[in-house]
Amino acid sequence: MMLVVGVDAGGTASRAVVAATDGTVVGRGSAGPGNPTSAGGPAAATAIGTAVRTALGPHDPARVLAGTAGVAGVAVLSDPTIAAAFDDAWAALGLTCPFTVTGDAVTAFAAGVPSPSGAVLIAGTGAVAARIENWHIRRTADGLGWLLGDEGSGHWLGLQAVRATARAWAAPAGAPPPGLAAAIAAHSGAATCDDLITWAVRQPPSAFAALAPLVCAHDDPIAVRLTTEAAARLIATLHDLGPPGGPVVLAGGLLTGDTRIRSEVLAALPGVATARDPAAAAAWLALRRTLDLDAGSAADLHRRMLAQTS
């Protein structure tokens, strides 16, 4: 049985899929953040390697024909040191097959539709919109990272929630208002507003992204305002790509989970597709490049592989 490997490596986690050439998923694995920009090149490469090793399980690495990895922050792989870390991680797994690294926007788009061209809007830890042409990124909007952009992302949402809590918690010796502000205070262990400030300045960006589910779970005025604004910023990011062309795919936890943000984006963008299992889509891309498939056969394989979403 010959195999392919697919990887989805983001700012929160890395996931890997191993599939047979008939599209059957035979292994899955997960590990820590695989974004080399935020996690660091060696750490990201190690996480991706761990996910692939788990997915391979008992399967012989020599039977792997090809691999594809969709990586957030892929641009930094132009750094020879970081690129070498990824090459070393692949070699340490015993894999000698061709290994294609592409932006996670490509694998996210492929996780929604088998079409070669269109657009994808991603809102997870970060946020970006991308125009895809023939499975390559031709243009992006936002995706500037937590410090300069990623508006409407999980990090943006969590940070805005902490800021709103601090402003609502006016008296240092008082209590935060009930609802989201109280939940943020409890999460941070803050007994006073000063405690919250001290906690916030010590946190890495990932800590704010981790607050996004908390914001989405509340329906008080602060939470509703922030999720509505997040949806509006994400829609604006997609529009920044220019006139639509081809299908649009929504990807990332904020746009694929049952959230108010997803509901508002769907109301504004009817007819969009939703990404399922980008790691399996990455494996499909590897298969599509490896096998001589016509468009119909590739679409059938895409349907079968993504129907196996875990």
Side-chain angles (χ1 to χ4, degrees), residues 57 77 82 97-98 110 126-127 138 156 209 229 260 293:
L77 290 181
I82 297 177
C97 60
R138 295 306 182 197
W156 181 92
E229 185 176 350
R260 276 193 306 275
L293 300 174

Side-chain angles (χ1 to χ4, degrees), residues 27-290:
R28 293 181 182 273
S30 61
N35 182 337
T37 300
S38 58
T46 297
I48 291 171
T50 299
V52 172
R53 184 177 294 107
T54 301
L56 277 170
H59 300 291
D60 183 356
R63 304 191 73 83
V64 179
L65 296 172
T68 296
V71 180
V74 68
V76 302
L77 290 181
S78 59
D79 182 323
T81 301
I82 297 177
F86 273 70
D87 290 342
D88 290 346
W90 199 246
L93 294 168
L95 297 167
T96 58
C97 60
F99 179 51
T100 301
V101 181
T102 187
D104 62 335
V106 173
T107 49
F109 179 72
V113 294
S115 303
S117 303
V120 61
L121 176 62
I122 305 173
T125 301
V128 65
R131 176 77 62 205
I132 308 297
E133 293 180 10
N134 196 28
W135 290 291
H136 288 83
I137 298 172
R138 295 306 182 197
R139 185 179 178 188
T140 61
D142 204 344
L144 299 174
W146 65 270
L147 185 61
L148 301 179
D150 286 353
E151 296 189 355
S153 68
H155 176 273
W156 181 92
L157 191 62
L159 179 58
Q160 299 308 313
V162 173
R163 287 175 171 172
T165 297
R167 291 177 180 130
W169 197 351
L180 176 62
I184 295 293
H187 176 89
S188 65
T192 68
C193 187
D194 286 345
D195 289 342
L196 180 65
I197 294 170
T198 300
W199 173 86
V201 299
R202 294 175 176 172
Q203 301 310 303
S206 59
F208 295 100
L211 293 173
L214 193 64
V215 183
C216 292
H218 282 76
D219 58 4
D220 69 337
I222 293 177
V224 170
R225 174 176 62 81
L226 291 178
T227 52
T228 297
E229 185 176 350
R233 288 176 181 248
L234 290 170
I235 293 167
T237 294
L238 180 64
H239 288 164
D240 284 345
L241 288 177
V248 175
V249 174
L250 303 182
L254 292 181
L255 293 175
T256 58
D258 183 17
T259 67
R260 276 193 306 275
I261 296 173
R262 170 178 165 81
S263 296
E264 295 199 23
V265 171
L266 286 175
L269 303 171
V272 299
T274 299
R276 296 179 297 161
D277 203 346
W284 174 77
L285 286 170
L287 271 178
R288 191 193 64 79
R289 280 192 298 269
T290 302

